[in-house]
Amino acid sequence: MKIVIADDHAIVRSGFSMILNFQEDMEVIALASDGIEAYRMVAKHQPDILILDLSMPPGESGLIATGKIKEDFPNTKILILTMHDDEEYLFYVLKNGASGYMLKTAPDDELLLAIRTIHTGGTYIHPKMATSLVREFVNKDQKIKESDPFEMLSKREIEVLPLIAKGYGNKEIAQILFISVKTVEAHKTKIMGKLNLKSRPELVEYALKKKLLNF
């Protein structure tokens, strides 16, 4: 299987490449340092698997890149690799098309198992997070929809919100997300309305509470 690795640490990319290229059934064909570059590498190489780090500052994060890549390249399976054992991250990336979620603290053989599992059409969740996943799908989704306006946001609005909170201007956000400035302004207006926020400081506070700035 052909694999792309996206991580902002060069030593991580090199280490994983060595491990995977040693396997007879795996070949690392490209590397990326942020979500934007990951998108480009997937577009260029059409890999079977994308190993995507959730946290890649200062470029586009894996959280934002997951949905965009899966929407445009549905045949590429995405394995999220992260330090975050957080239920909200897990739930979000799975809803946006990721096929696997594992922690960077996992041993090498678990990484190989995860890759082979999702390549054959399965889903791999780090054992530590599996119980959380069941609880999320059974109980949380409907409850949040009923009580949390965050669930009213579209996928694109969820991408725009943390960028606004981080201080990016409309033009910068438009360039990052490949949309027009007017579209960014429209999303911003809808976000403020849906969340009943009156100012940017309120938006920043909301983003912090939602842990949208932790990647």
Side-chain angles (χ1 to χ4, degrees):
M1 49 202 109
K2 299 184 182 298
I3 301 170
V4 170
I5 299 173
D7 192 288
D8 61 326
H9 293 95
I11 191 170
V12 173
R13 298 194 298 270
S14 298
F16 285 166
S17 294
M18 291 180 61
I19 294 170
L20 302 186
N21 283 330
F22 189 73
Q23 309 302 310
E24 293 184 357
D25 58 342
M26 300 181 189
E27 178 187 6
V28 177
I29 57 174
L31 304 173
S33 60
D34 63 25
I36 294 175
E37 191 175 10
Y39 183 97
R40 291 171 181 164
M41 291 299 100
V42 171
K44 180 178 180 179
H45 297 285
Q46 303 287 308
D48 300 302
I49 307 288
L50 169 63
I51 299 176
L52 184 62
D53 183 16
L54 202 61
S55 307
M56 293 185 288
E60 181 176 287
S61 75
L63 195 66
I64 294 174
T66 299
K68 293 166 61 176
I69 292 173
K70 195 61 185 180
E71 182 176 352
D72 293 344
F73 308 102
N75 292 330
T76 294
K77 307 289 178 55
I78 299 176
L79 173 62
I80 297 295
L81 190 66
T82 179
M83 293 298 296
H84 299 293
D85 57 348
D86 189 294
E87 296 177 5
E88 290 190 20
Y89 291 132
L90 170 66
F91 198 61
Y92 179 83
V93 295
L94 289 181
K95 287 199 298 183
N96 282 273
S99 297
Y101 190 101
M102 64 174 294
L103 303 182
K104 286 187 174 181
T105 54
D108 297 347
D109 57 350
E110 185 175 332
L111 173 63
L112 300 177
L113 174 61
I115 292 172
R116 292 186 174 111
T117 297
I118 68 174
H119 182 248
T120 56
T123 299
Y124 187 89
I125 307 299
H126 188 280
K128 184 177 180 180
M129 304 298 295
T131 301
S132 298
L133 178 63
V134 173
R135 184 169 61 250
E136 288 287 303
F137 278 108
V138 172
N139 298 319
K140 185 177 179 181
D141 198 28
Q142 185 58 39
K143 290 181 180 178
I144 290 182
K145 287 180 179 179
E146 294 173 354
S147 62
D148 190 347
F150 183 75
E151 282 295 317
M152 294 189 296
L153 299 181
S154 67
K155 181 169 65 177
R156 182 65 83 184
E157 289 164 357
I158 292 174
E159 295 172 352
V160 171
L161 193 159
L163 295 176
I164 297 173
K166 288 180 178 180
Y168 288 98
N170 291 344
K171 185 177 180 180
E172 293 174 302
I173 296 173
Q175 292 174 342
I176 291 172
L177 299 180
F178 304 104
I179 57 179
S180 69
V181 173
K182 287 186 177 180
T183 300
V184 173
E185 294 172 347
H187 285 315
K188 182 177 180 180
T189 299
K190 291 179 181 179
I191 290 169
M192 300 296 281
K194 289 179 180 180
L195 300 180
N196 194 28
L197 302 175
K198 306 300 182 184
S199 64
R200 185 175 174 275
E202 288 185 358
L203 186 145
V204 172
E205 182 180 2
Y206 183 88
L208 285 169
K209 289 180 179 179
K210 280 291 181 182
K211 301 180 182 180
L212 297 177
L213 304 185
N214 294 348
F215 50 86

